[in-house]
Each structure stands twice: as C-alpha cells, then as structure tokens.
Amino acid sequence: MTDHPKGVWFAVPSAIRSCPGIRGEIAEGAGVHQYLIEHKERYRNQGLGFAFFLAWNYFSFFSCGLVPVIHVIRSSERVWMWTGLFFAVTSLVIMLISTRIPLAGKRGFGVIAAICSCGATIVIWMSFYDARTYQMVSVIGGMIAGVGLAMMAHVWGDRLSRNNESDIEFSVPTSFIFSFIIYFVLLALKGPVPMLVDAALPVASMLFAFRRPTCNLSEEPELSEGRCIRGGELIRMLAGIATLCLLLGLLWFQFAYFRLLATPEMVSDRFLHYLLPFSCSFLLSIIALLFCIKLSRYVNFTLMFRWGLPLLLLSYALLYYDYSDPLQKIVAYTVNFIGMFGVQFGFWLAAPKFVRRSHLPPSVLFGGMLAAEGVGIFIGTGYGLSIIDGISATNVMNESLLFFVILLLVAMMVGFNPCWSFFRASERWSVDGEMAVSKNLDEGSVSDDINALFEQQAEDLRRSFNLSKRETEIAALLLAGRSRPYIRDELTISLNTVHAHTRNIYTKCDVHSQREFMDLPHEKEKQQTEDDLVLP
C-alpha cells in the first residue's frame, strides 16, 4: 500500500552516510533485510489480532449470530444499546486513568479485556434459552461486552498508533478483509460451534496484541503516553478534538437509529436478512475504500463524513419510497451498513495517523472518540426502540430528515478542522527556510528516517537552486516518489497548484521528469565526490 517506486529504495544506501538522522543499524548496511523480516511478523500479529477483534464485534452485535433458540425481534439492537452505553463510560474511565498509568500497554489490561469479552459472549448466548429472563440476562451481557469492547479498542488504538503510516494503510485494510472472512464462516455455521469460536476471538485478539516477536524487534517509537497529564492539559487536548467527537457521535446516532428503522422483522432466514446484506455491504465498502486510498493516498477524518452522509440520505430515501416492502428494507439495511463500515474503516485508518502527527496521547484521542461513538449508539438505539412500533413511512421521513438536518447544521457551524486532514505539532519549515529537525526523529521508524533523508535532500536543493518554502516541501515529496494526488492531499492544496510548483521546480533544477529529479541529489553527490578527488 505504499506509493514509493523501487528507485527510492535504491537511492537510500548511497545517501545514508550524509544523513545524521538515519539509525545506526541501518546505516551500517545490515538493517534493511532484518527490518523487513521483523515487520513481516508484526504485520501478521497485528493483522490477525485486529481482525479477530473486528470479527467478534460484528458477529456479536451486528447480526443474529448469537441467537440459538428463541427469536426475539431486534434482539441484537437491544444488546447493542447497552453495549454502547458501557462502551462510552469505560472509554472515558480508561482515558482518565491513562493520564496517570498507561493501561493499554499492560498485559494484565489485555487479560481483563479478553475475560470480559469472552464472558459477555457466553452470557448473551445463554440469555436466549429462557424467554422469561432474556431481557435481564442479555442486558447484563451487553454491559459486560461494552467494557471488554472499550478495553480492546484502546489496546488496538495504542498498537496501531505505533506503526508508520504505510504500515497502517497495509494493516487496517488487511484486518478488515480477514474479519469479513471470519464473520462469513461463523454465520454460515449452526449450533454452538459459532458461539464457542466467537467467545474465543477476544482471547485470540489479545494474545496477538501482546505477543512478543520471536526475533529481536527494534524498539517501538515512543508515543505521548506514560507521563502524567494534568487536568488543565487534558481539557485543552479534549477541546482540540471536541468538534470531531461531536460530529462522530451525531453520525453514529444516525446509524444506530436508522438500523432500528430498517432492521428485518423476521430473523428465521439468516442468509437473506443478515449474511447477504452484510456480505454485499462489506464487499462494496472494501472495494470503494481501497479505491479511495489508491486515488487520494491519504485518508483522514473528513472521509468519514464525506462517506457517511450521502449514504445515510440514500438509506432514508429508500425507506421513504416504500417502508412496508421487506425487500426495500433489506436494500436500505445494506446501504446503512455500507455507511457504517466506511466510517469504521476511515476511523481506524485516520485515528492512528492523527496520533502520530499530533503527538496526542492515544488514550485521549481514542477515549474521546470512542466515548462519542458509544453515546451516539446508546441514544440512537434507545430512541429507535421507543418509537419503532408505531412508526410509518411518513414518520420515518419526517424524523429522519430532521435528525439529518441537525447533523448538517452542526457540521456547518463547527466546520471541518483542517487539522483532521493534516496536523503537525510544529512547523516542518522554520521562518528562514531551514528545515526544522523533528524532535522525535530518533524515536521514529525506519520509514520516518527515510522521509527525513528526502527532506534533507530537498533542503540541499533549496540552497543550490533557490527554491521557495512551498517548492521545498513539494520537492521532498517528489524525491520520495510521491504522486501528485498524494502531494495534493498531504499539503492540502489544489492539484493545479501542485502542477504549477512542480513545473517551477523542474525548470529551476533543469530536469524534465520526476525520475530525473529523483536522481539529481545523487548526481550532485557523485559530482562532489569527483571534485574532491581532483583537489590536491
């Protein structure tokens, strides 16, 4: 999922000696092959572990997979409501405790998360064996599940935030695909087997999350975690993401409320009412989102809203067309799931990147955003359950449009923060045009070090060819082999502006293509070496 051409990697060895930020083990010439071996194991651990977490979430709360005996209309939604409430409360508690103690990195925290999630799965499944106690037992199971879900989400938020951006773009889509395969197999099975496997998924997820690589993996980059965060500092951090959390909560309120409106009223045919809509929505979501990644090369928080809002509006339109038609409900149900998957997909891609760019503690970002999601689910599902019995097509459209307009008005008033698409804790380029050295360079990954190399090369070209500040930023990305659409999204400028600056850079440097421009620093280095040999 990376945008680097092969020439980038051939360019690294000849320039490593001149870049002081490159790690010693890589500079000594022995690290690249070992790095690939080590990170292949990390990809496997994180890809499978995160996939198990997602599959457990989908199978337990997004379908009737845990319904073995009695059929209760909208049973999954009832459990999901209480799961959302305790998901929100637990996320806030974890965030507050993590200001003193980094919980997500502790193995005991993962053990408790696995126990809660596994136990909740069994409790929810057993609640369906007695209609008289179903409601009370399923509520208890949903509450426990909310605690386990929040704990595991914080663990994976911490793990993914320690990857560089290319790793995130590879691991997250891979995990979503694996989770769908697991879900598809489980829902196709019958009897207690799927429940037992589902109960084991959280345990497997936490085992992979805390699994130690067999080889000597290099030190992970330090995040802004593990230090004490005072109350005033925490408030300032939360204020910076308040509008993001507000909009995310409103979005999940819409999804949860609409799920009640469109959920199938008959649960006897699991293939027609759950497996088919889920499969179609998942496949369409993955294909479309991977296409978005390929085109834009940068996925940010704004994608969640650009993706979710049109699909919500389409879902409402489908229900309004004929609310009594079961087939129409299934189609609307599928469209709603496409929206939910897209928002989840965008969240798990954007949030770890935001942590890396902003140096915000993972517990603060994930705590705030997960709490907003949980509150939205609880209120949306609770309100939907309270009115669903007397609702008609007219009511659906009137109330749905009202909620949708409220979301649009809030988005219009608070706006989309530019920091959601690109954020740096400090300016990359200082006022006088000199490159600002990243304070976390020594703690970064090999990918971060290579990016620093291209920035240093761009700075050298700035001095030699009198490039402007913006041209120097674009030159660094061109040297890294980035495409022009990627540069557009990375620097939040128009594509025409990228084209204009690129033409100016090529003219000043007397080159005609990106390939020639990427070779320019090495030609200058070679020329300098020859000149040094000629001198007496």
Side-chain angles (χ1 to χ4, degrees), residues 125-435:
W125 191 74
M126 294 297 295
S127 68
F128 288 95
Y129 278 90
D130 191 342
R132 294 170 298 177
T133 60
Y134 158 75
Q135 188 167 352
M136 181 183 66
V137 176
S138 64
V139 166
I140 294 174
M143 292 176 177
I144 300 173
V147 175
L149 181 63
M151 295 176 73
M152 289 199 294
H154 274 268
V155 168
W156 284 113
D158 177 82
R159 291 295 180 274
L160 292 173
S161 299
R162 296 179 184 276
N163 292 347
N164 61 54
E165 296 194 7
S166 296
D167 296 341
I168 294 168
E169 289 184 359
F170 174 81
S171 299
V172 172
T174 303
S175 298
F176 269 81
I177 293 172
F178 279 143
S179 69
F180 164 70
I181 296 173
I182 296 169
Y183 174 91
F184 190 92
V185 172
L186 286 178
L187 200 57
L189 298 175
K190 295 182 179 180
V193 175
M195 187 281 297
L196 295 175
V197 175
D198 188 53
L201 289 177
V203 178
S205 178
M206 291 297 95
L207 284 175
F208 277 101
F210 291 92
R211 183 179 181 181
R212 292 285 182 182
T214 56
C215 54
N216 295 323
L217 188 62
S218 56
E219 189 71 18
E220 290 182 324
E222 292 292 332
L223 301 174
S224 300
E225 196 75 274
R227 62 180 178 85
C228 291
I229 302 175
R230 300 184 181 276
E233 184 181 5
L234 177 61
I235 292 174
R236 287 192 297 272
M237 290 178 177
L238 291 176
I241 60 173
T243 55
L244 175 61
C245 294
L246 174 61
L247 287 171
L248 184 65
L250 289 173
L251 196 60
W252 274 101
F253 169 86
Q254 295 273 343
F255 285 133
Y257 171 67
F258 184 84
R259 180 179 172 183
L260 263 296
L261 301 182
T263 188
E265 297 182 357
M266 298 297 293
V267 295
S268 57
D269 190 346
R270 293 200 300 177
F271 178 81
L272 178 61
H273 289 137
Y274 288 98
L275 188 57
L276 185 60
F278 193 98
S279 302
C280 293
S281 58
F282 198 98
L283 288 174
L284 291 173
S285 299
I286 288 293
I287 292 171
L289 285 164
L290 290 179
F291 189 66
C292 288
I293 293 177
K294 180 176 178 59
L295 287 181
S296 65
R297 289 301 304 145
Y298 187 73
V299 178
N300 52 58
F301 286 128
T302 59
L303 176 64
M304 297 191 302
F305 304 100
R306 289 186 285 114
W307 178 277
L309 292 178
L311 290 170
L312 272 172
L313 189 59
L314 175 59
S315 302
Y316 289 141
L318 288 170
L319 280 191
Y320 181 71
Y321 182 76
D322 189 353
Y323 186 68
S324 61
D325 185 0
L327 181 59
Q328 200 78 15
K329 280 191 175 182
I330 292 176
V331 175
Y333 193 71
T334 302
V335 174
N336 188 52
F337 264 118
I338 294 175
M340 281 196 289
F341 285 138
V343 169
Q344 283 190 325
F345 191 97
F347 169 79
W348 284 106
L349 274 175
K353 290 183 178 183
F354 190 87
V355 169
R356 291 186 58 84
R357 290 174 177 266
S358 66
H359 303 292
L360 197 70
S363 61
V364 174
L365 178 66
F366 284 92
M369 295 189 69
L370 295 176
E373 177 183 333
V375 170
I377 291 172
F378 174 72
I379 297 177
T381 307
Y383 178 72
L385 286 171
S386 66
I387 67 168
I388 190 66
D389 291 333
I391 202 165
S392 64
T394 303
N395 294 348
V396 168
M397 202 59 185
N398 291 342
E399 293 197 8
S400 301
L401 280 179
L402 176 62
F403 294 144
F404 191 79
V405 169
I406 290 174
L407 176 57
L408 291 180
L409 286 175
V410 173
M412 181 183 68
M413 288 186 291
V414 303
F416 292 121
N417 194 325
C419 295
W420 301 351
S421 58
F422 188 73
F423 184 92
R424 292 190 185 95
S426 60
E427 290 291 326
R428 176 179 285 180
W429 306 96
S430 61
V431 176
D432 60 358
E434 297 294 327
M435 186 178 71

Side-chain angles (χ1 to χ4, degrees), residues 19-150:
C19 181
I22 300 296
R23 286 182 173 177
E25 68 268 19
I26 302 297
E28 292 171 3
V32 174
H33 181 65
Q34 185 64 23
Y35 171 81
L36 295 176
I37 294 176
E38 293 172 352
H39 281 253
K40 179 180 179 181
E41 185 171 4
R42 174 182 291 183
Y43 289 150
R44 183 176 68 246
N45 290 346
Q46 292 194 350
L48 289 175
F50 189 49
F52 292 150
F53 162 70
L54 293 172
W56 174 76
N57 182 23
Y58 295 148
F59 189 77
S60 301
F61 310 117
F62 285 74
S63 70
C64 63
L66 293 179
V67 182
V69 181
I70 61 172
H71 292 159
V72 180
I73 300 299
R74 302 180 186 91
S75 57
S76 298
E77 287 76 10
R78 298 174 195 275
V79 174
W80 197 40
M81 178 181 70
W82 295 106
T83 299
L85 176 62
F86 276 72
F87 180 62
V89 173
T90 306
S91 295
L92 291 176
V93 172
I94 293 172
M95 179 182 65
L96 293 175
I97 297 177
S98 296
T99 60
R100 296 290 185 268
I101 305 171
L103 293 177
K106 296 187 177 298
R107 189 180 296 271
F109 184 80
V111 172
I112 296 175
I115 292 174
C116 289
S117 304
C118 177
T121 303
I122 297 174
V123 171
I124 294 171
W125 191 74
M126 294 297 295
S127 68
F128 288 95
Y129 278 90
D130 191 342
R132 294 170 298 177
T133 60
Y134 158 75
Q135 188 167 352
M136 181 183 66
V137 176
S138 64
V139 166
I140 294 174
M143 292 176 177
I144 300 173
V147 175
L149 181 63

